[in-house]
């Protein structure tokens, strides 16, 4: 696996590669799990080369405490990527991604103010800004995003269309454990009891017949609710368990 930390050197390599090969790109914030691996395996299957980025993007954390406690497992992540025969890893520093000091940003005026956008002001500005930069650097044929962050995926898809980004934006189904809990890097911050409540949250979101029933059931387990919304044939929710913010969504 070739590792790049310098943005322009990485971009130059990708520009050379894409002349006669296809590139599948999986952007991540590290703390890799089976959800990321499913995206990587798909990227490998559908492209000549697989490129992964690891960058914990500070501008998408509206809460500095959330950023501080985000799990950092770089060495372990590299081992996983090598085991899965990833060809390239891009792991930049802040100044490589924000040479402008975050002077420029990308914002969206509709979807980004709903659901998670209501509760995390500035979050999607940070996400869209970093993803636009990463897409410009990776020069990929296809980029892969998990459906667990469905609102994020839709916003990235719309941004790529709006800015004529030639990369195809692809979503892949949420990977869940045997009890239905959506895999997430944040799950490793939960206590054993927290994991049980997170599983209960995932099962309730899927099985309950309406919003009132979900609220009632989550209240029983003292799960703090940010929101539960049904929007465009999907049920979305964000909750807090052990002070960790978890999101999930299911088709309805
Ligand atoms: O979903 C994530 O891991 C992040 O939001 C992303 C897309 C890598 C941007 O930082």
């Amino acid at each position: 696996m070739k590792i790049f930390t310098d943005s322009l050197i990485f971009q130059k390599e990708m520009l050379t590669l894409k002349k006669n090969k296809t590139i599948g790109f999986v952007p991540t914030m590290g703390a890799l799990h089976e959800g990321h691996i499913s995206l990587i395996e798909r990227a490998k299957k559908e492209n000549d080369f697989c490129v992964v980025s690891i960058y914990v993007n500070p501008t998408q954390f509206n809460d500095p405490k959330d950023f501080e406690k985000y799990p950092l497992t770089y060495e372990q992540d590299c081992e996983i990527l090598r085991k899965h025969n990833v060809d390239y890893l891009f792991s930049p520093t802040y100044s490589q991604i924000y040479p402008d000091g975050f002077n420029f940003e990308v914002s969206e005026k509709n979807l980004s103010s709903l659901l998670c956008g209501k509760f995390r002001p500035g979050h999607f500005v940070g996400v869209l800004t970093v993803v636009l930069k990463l897409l410009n650097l990776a020069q990929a044929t296809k980029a892969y995003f998990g459906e667990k962050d469905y609102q994020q995926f839709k916003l990235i898809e719309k941004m790529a269309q709006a800015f004529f980004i030639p990369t195809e934006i692809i979503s892949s189904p949420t990977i869940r454990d045997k009890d239905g809990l959506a895999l997430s890097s944040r799950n490793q911050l939960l206590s054993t009891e927290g994991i049980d409540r997170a599983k209960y949250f995932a099962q309730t979101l899927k099985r309950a017949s309406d919003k009132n029933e979900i609220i009632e059931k989550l209240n029983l387990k003292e799960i703090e609710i940010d929101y539960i919304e049904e929007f465009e044939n999907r049920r979305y929710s964000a909750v807090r368990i052990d002070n960790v913010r978890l999101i999930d969504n299911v088709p309805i």
Side-chain angles (χ1 to χ4, degrees), residues 71-127:
L72 299 175
T73 54
Y74 185 75
E75 295 305 325
Q76 203 180 309
D77 291 343
C78 285
E79 249 175 65
I80 294 174
L81 296 178
R82 285 201 181 92
K83 199 172 120 207
H84 288 271
N85 296 315
V86 165
D87 302 290
Y88 294 90
L89 168 63
F90 177 50
S91 61
T93 56
Y94 180 85
S95 60
Q96 287 297 323
I97 288 290
Y98 294 102
D100 60 332
F102 196 35
N103 188 34
F104 289 91
E105 61 180 35
V106 182
S107 62
E108 189 271 356
K109 293 180 182 151
N110 292 295
L111 177 58
S112 63
S113 56
L114 309 177
L115 306 167
C116 277
K118 268 195 210 162
F119 291 83
R120 300 187 72 188
H123 167 64
F124 286 119
V125 168
V127 170

Side-chain angles (χ1 to χ4, degrees), residues 1 38 44-45 47 52 57 79 110-111 131-133 139 150 166 182 184 206 218 235 239 242 247:
M1 182 169 72
S38 78
K44 279 172 51 186
K45 209 165 115 199
N47 301 276
V52 172
N57 173 37
E79 249 175 65
N110 292 295
L111 177 58
V131 172
L132 183 64
K133 287 167 184 267
Q139 297 287 319
Y150 202 79
S184 162
K206 182 160 182 233
L218 297 188
R235 181 180 277 169
V239 297
D242 291 346
I247 60 170

Side-chain angles (χ1 to χ4, degrees), residues 10-42:
F10 170 62
Q11 188 189 47
K12 202 169 161 206
E13 176 92 4
M14 294 300 110
L15 284 166
T16 309
L17 200 66
K18 84 166 196 186
K19 282 188 188 144
N20 49 12
K21 298 286 179 201
T22 58
I23 303 172
F25 177 44
V26 183
T28 80
M29 298 207 296
L32 302 177
H33 51 68
E34 286 300 322
H36 297 113
I37 292 165
S38 78
L39 299 178
I40 289 169
E41 287 303 329
R42 185 161 172 201

Side-chain angles (χ1 to χ4, degrees), residues 37-207:
I37 292 165
S38 78
L39 299 178
I40 289 169
E41 287 303 329
R42 185 161 172 201
K44 279 172 51 186
K45 209 165 115 199
E46 296 180 359
N47 301 276
D48 297 321
F49 286 99
C50 175
V51 178
V52 172
S53 65
I54 296 181
Y55 179 62
V56 185
N57 173 37
T59 69
Q60 71 187 73
F61 288 83
N62 54 310
D63 174 359
K65 281 196 208 115
D66 192 23
F67 175 59
E68 272 162 36
K69 70 179 183 199
Y70 201 82
L72 299 175
T73 54
Y74 185 75
E75 295 305 325
Q76 203 180 309
D77 291 343
C78 285
E79 249 175 65
I80 294 174
L81 296 178
R82 285 201 181 92
K83 199 172 120 207
H84 288 271
N85 296 315
V86 165
D87 302 290
Y88 294 90
L89 168 63
F90 177 50
S91 61
T93 56
Y94 180 85
S95 60
Q96 287 297 323
I97 288 290
Y98 294 102
D100 60 332
F102 196 35
N103 188 34
F104 289 91
E105 61 180 35
V106 182
S107 62
E108 189 271 356
K109 293 180 182 151
N110 292 295
L111 177 58
S112 63
S113 56
L114 309 177
L115 306 167
C116 277
K118 268 195 210 162
F119 291 83
R120 300 187 72 188
H123 167 64
F124 286 119
V125 168
V127 170
L128 293 177
T129 304
V130 80
V131 172
L132 183 64
K133 287 167 184 267
L134 291 170
L135 291 175
N136 278 330
L137 293 172
Q139 297 287 319
T141 320
K142 296 179 180 176
Y144 299 83
F145 298 86
E147 285 181 6
K148 186 181 77 67
D149 300 290
Y150 202 79
Q151 186 181 12
Q152 166 177 283
F153 156 67
K154 289 309 285 179
L155 281 163
I156 292 169
E157 187 184 49
K158 285 171 195 283
M159 174 184 73
Q161 280 164 10
F163 289 103
F164 308 104
I165 300 290
T167 303
E168 190 183 335
I169 305 299
I170 292 180
S171 75
S172 240
T174 304
I175 304 296
R176 297 178 183 277
D177 75 2
K178 63 178 189 346
D179 302 310
L181 173 63
L183 299 195
S184 162
S185 306
R186 289 168 191 265
N187 292 354
Q188 38 179 295
L189 301 172
L190 296 170
S191 63
T192 316
E193 186 268 335
I195 291 274
D196 288 341
R197 291 201 296 156
K199 288 178 190 234
Y200 175 85
F201 159 58
Q203 290 159 3
T204 306
L205 192 69
K206 182 160 182 233
R207 293 182 195 154

